[in-house]
Amino acid sequence: MPDISRSLNTTPSLYVVATPMGNLQDITLRALDVLRQVDVVAAEDTRHTQQLLTAHGIGARLMAAHEHNEQKAATQIIDRLTVGEQVAFVSDAGTPGISDPGARLVARVREAGHPVVPIPGASAVAAAVSVAGLEQGGFHFVGFLPPKSGARKTRLAALVGEADALVFYEAPHRVLDTVADLLAVFGPERALIVARELTKRFEQIVRMPLADAADWFAQDTNRVRGEFVLIVTGAPPETGLSAEAERVLGLLLDEMPLKRAARLAADITGASKNALYQRALELKSAED
């Protein structure tokens, strides 16, 4: 068990620190403690990170680690860890390593045999899902979709049958085209949750049928500004029994009593035992 009274490991480590998405108060006490104590903070944008550090009175040494120098930065970080330094890594906002630079950096550090420690905190996915009211519970994080419509629709088509809600990131210059493709692929009935500028001054979170989304954006040009999390509710549950469940039930009814056939068909197909039992009664009544 790690010693929770210590912010840093005794072994030199890379600390992946979640930083605020917008509101500078959305940072944990542990994150602040780590940023104060490490030897260097690797940052996607050193100017942006300097503002955060200055706001909290932290005088950490900074180095750049972004998508254009990620391999070089990884080598430098590994060298620092090797000589015993402690290093933190932050992105511009939220937790890095998903749609931010950092995944390859973390992989390189792990391959070199150094510990990588998560310092949890702000996350656009978690923030949006927490207020989306997803009654079915589960969600599937997709992230950014392909930038071109054809590839985007192909990716979406593969997700049409997903029962869990689908969570996407999108940039302002593509959000209208993406919403149009969501409507084309998923149809007008699915609900869309738009979470825009989370934790920032113009934060906006709305829920609507996909059919209404284009009109909603058209009502105010400011609605296409900022960074977006888009959530589409999952595929509705199938009504009735699938063709496979019907086939299995019919075969079993030829060989065994009704109740046992329904129970075994449920075990084989995963369909509702009650629905199979009711269907078996219908089939038997039709035979009489």
Side-chain angles (χ1 to χ4, degrees):
M1 289 287 289
D3 182 357
I4 62 173
S5 66
R6 296 180 59 89
S7 292
L8 301 184
N9 290 349
T10 53
T11 303
S13 305
L14 175 66
Y15 302 86
V16 180
V17 181
T19 55
M21 294 179 288
N23 191 317
L24 293 182
Q25 295 183 69
D26 290 339
I27 190 165
T28 68
L29 296 176
R30 184 184 177 201
L32 292 174
D33 206 26
V34 167
L35 293 173
R36 287 191 185 97
Q37 293 188 50
V38 293
D39 297 289
V40 65
V41 176
E44 182 182 354
D45 184 331
T46 54
R47 292 170 300 178
H48 184 94
T49 300
Q50 186 62 66
Q51 294 174 3
L52 171 68
L53 297 177
T54 300
H56 292 286
I58 299 172
R61 191 165 36 151
L62 288 168
M63 66 171 284
H66 47 71
E67 62 179 334
H68 301 297
N69 79 334
E70 200 165 15
Q71 292 301 327
K72 180 181 177 181
T75 299
Q76 293 173 342
I77 288 170
I78 291 168
D79 290 344
R80 288 180 178 275
L81 294 169
T82 300
V83 298
E85 292 189 4
Q86 304 271 21
V87 182
F89 172 63
V90 303
S91 70
D92 278 357
T95 302
I98 298 175
S99 293
D100 303 300
R104 289 185 296 273
L105 187 153
V106 166
R108 284 278 311 278
V109 170
R110 285 198 176 281
E111 288 168 4
H114 299 288
V116 180
V117 180
I119 309 297
S123 165
V125 177
V129 168
S130 72
V131 293
L134 302 178
E135 296 179 11
Q136 65 268 47
F139 69 92
H140 176 166
F141 176 67
V142 181
F144 282 102
L145 290 162
K148 294 187 177 180
S149 182
R152 188 162 55 234
K153 286 181 177 178
T154 298
R155 179 75 177 99
L156 292 172
L159 299 168
V160 166
E162 179 71 54
D164 290 334
L166 302 169
V167 183
F168 308 95
Y169 283 163
E170 196 48 273
H173 63 282
R174 283 198 302 265
V175 68
L176 293 180
D177 290 339
T178 293
V179 168
D181 287 344
L182 291 173
L183 174 61
V185 174
F186 294 116
E189 301 300 324
R190 297 264 196 114
L192 172 69
I193 297 94
V194 177
R196 184 177 76 87
E197 290 290 83
L198 287 170
T199 80
K200 300 174 186 176
R201 179 180 178 185
F202 297 107
E203 176 182 271
Q204 196 168 24
I205 303 164
V206 295
R207 181 179 177 128
M208 68 196 85
L210 265 170
D212 298 342
D215 286 342
W216 181 82
F217 279 103
Q219 288 169 15
D220 185 348
T221 56
N222 288 318
R223 291 175 179 175
V224 298
R225 296 181 178 179
E227 299 299 321
F228 290 84
V229 180
L230 304 175
I231 303 176
V232 176
T233 52
E238 291 185 7
T239 57
L241 296 172
S242 67
E244 177 63 9
E246 291 266 7
R247 186 185 71 83
V248 171
L249 179 62
L251 292 172
L252 294 175
L253 283 172
D254 290 339
E255 303 295 332
M256 61 188 67
L258 184 150
K259 185 176 290 187
R260 186 180 173 196
R263 184 175 66 250
L264 188 54
D267 291 340
I268 294 171
T269 66
S272 164
K273 183 170 68 175
N274 288 338
L276 286 162
Y277 181 74
Q278 291 301 318
R279 181 56 177 154
L281 288 174
E282 293 171 5
L283 292 172
K284 285 295 185 182
S285 297
E287 292 175 1
D288 295 341

